[in-house]
Amino acid sequence: MNILIMGPAGAGKGTMSDLILREFDIPHISTGDMLRENVRNNTELGQQAQQYMNAGKLVPDELINAMVEQRLLEPDCQKGYLLDGFPRTLVQAQAFEEMADRIGKPVESVLALEVSFDTLVDRITGRRICPKCGAIYHVRNKPSKAEGICDECGSELQQRKDDTVEQLKVRMEEYDDHRLL
């Protein structure tokens, strides 16, 4: 099963992805994670991306598309994939559709999550993340057993610097300007 899940920051893509992955034996692919992994592993694509990031620029669509294609050709994607938050723009979507068809991995299902701005504010500002193991909590909806401490590894939880109302407004403007659905 080849699935895209789309929605604004805080819409619940990660939560829904977890539920989908319980049903299907497919990898969860986040372009942000993939980008960080390529940079961390110093791949050719990662080196190119790092140059843009160091200059404070967005990584171009062509580079992101190349990373996605490379990732979808890995053996764990034989049964399908769950692509999280990509494509984000019409240009990315058109390039992705052509690429996915060319490599024999066309999209079979799209989930588009719609959430009110007030709900997004609550979700984003209450989100806490473990910097060590990546576990995600929410101060009210999914609190850790010991306040501010990760249940999984015992590290101190953090709030992402961009998990603010101001940054959410910026991200929502960007999302609304480029939304596909």
Side-chain angles (χ1 to χ4, degrees):
M1 176 68 77
N2 302 330
I3 306 169
L4 297 182
I5 187 165
M6 307 169 91
K13 294 183 298 289
T15 301
M16 292 304 298
S17 294
D18 289 344
L19 295 172
I20 292 166
L21 295 175
R22 289 181 193 165
E23 284 295 314
F24 301 99
D25 183 24
I26 56 176
H28 177 218
I29 301 170
S30 158
T31 52
D33 292 345
M34 187 176 49
L35 181 60
R36 286 185 288 276
E37 183 178 331
N38 272 273
V39 169
R40 185 174 48 251
N41 292 335
N42 203 30
T43 67
E44 184 178 335
L45 292 173
Q47 291 172 12
Q48 292 173 34
Q50 187 69 60
Q51 291 176 357
Y52 288 97
M53 293 161 57
N54 288 345
K57 297 179 180 178
L58 292 175
V59 178
D61 289 344
E62 299 79 29
L63 195 52
I64 296 294
N65 291 341
M67 284 184 193
V68 170
E69 179 172 356
Q70 190 174 60
R71 178 65 182 93
L72 294 182
L73 290 171
E74 291 183 21
D76 65 336
C77 291
Q78 282 186 320
K79 295 181 196 173
Y81 56 84
L82 172 60
L83 195 52
D84 181 344
F86 178 88
R88 292 181 189 252
T89 67
L90 184 57
V91 171
Q92 285 179 348
Q94 291 167 335
F96 177 71
E97 184 176 29
E98 290 171 14
M99 178 264 295
D101 287 342
R102 180 173 37 77
I103 66 172
K105 297 186 181 297
V107 174
E108 297 170 307
S109 186
V110 176
L111 286 103
L113 305 178
E114 296 286 332
V115 181
S116 74
F117 183 76
D118 289 340
T119 300
L120 293 175
V121 167
D122 178 63
R123 289 180 178 178
I124 290 291
T125 59
R127 178 166 57 186
R128 300 296 183 268
I129 298 175
C130 177
K132 186 173 180 183
C133 73
I136 300 174
Y137 299 89
H138 188 276
V139 294
R140 191 179 66 256
N141 301 332
K142 186 185 173 191
S144 56
K145 293 175 185 168
E147 186 176 340
I149 304 297
C150 179
D151 296 343
E152 304 297 319
C153 71
S155 295
E156 187 174 340
L157 299 177
Q158 298 178 352
Q159 183 175 24
R160 286 179 19 183
K161 290 179 183 174
D162 61 345
D163 278 353
T164 65
V165 175
E166 295 77 21
Q167 283 299 311
L168 177 61
K169 287 178 183 176
V170 170
R171 289 174 10 213
M172 284 304 297
E173 285 177 21
E174 173 95 5
Y175 178 78
D176 286 338
D177 288 346
H178 298 289
R179 71 185 302 154
L180 299 172
L181 302 171

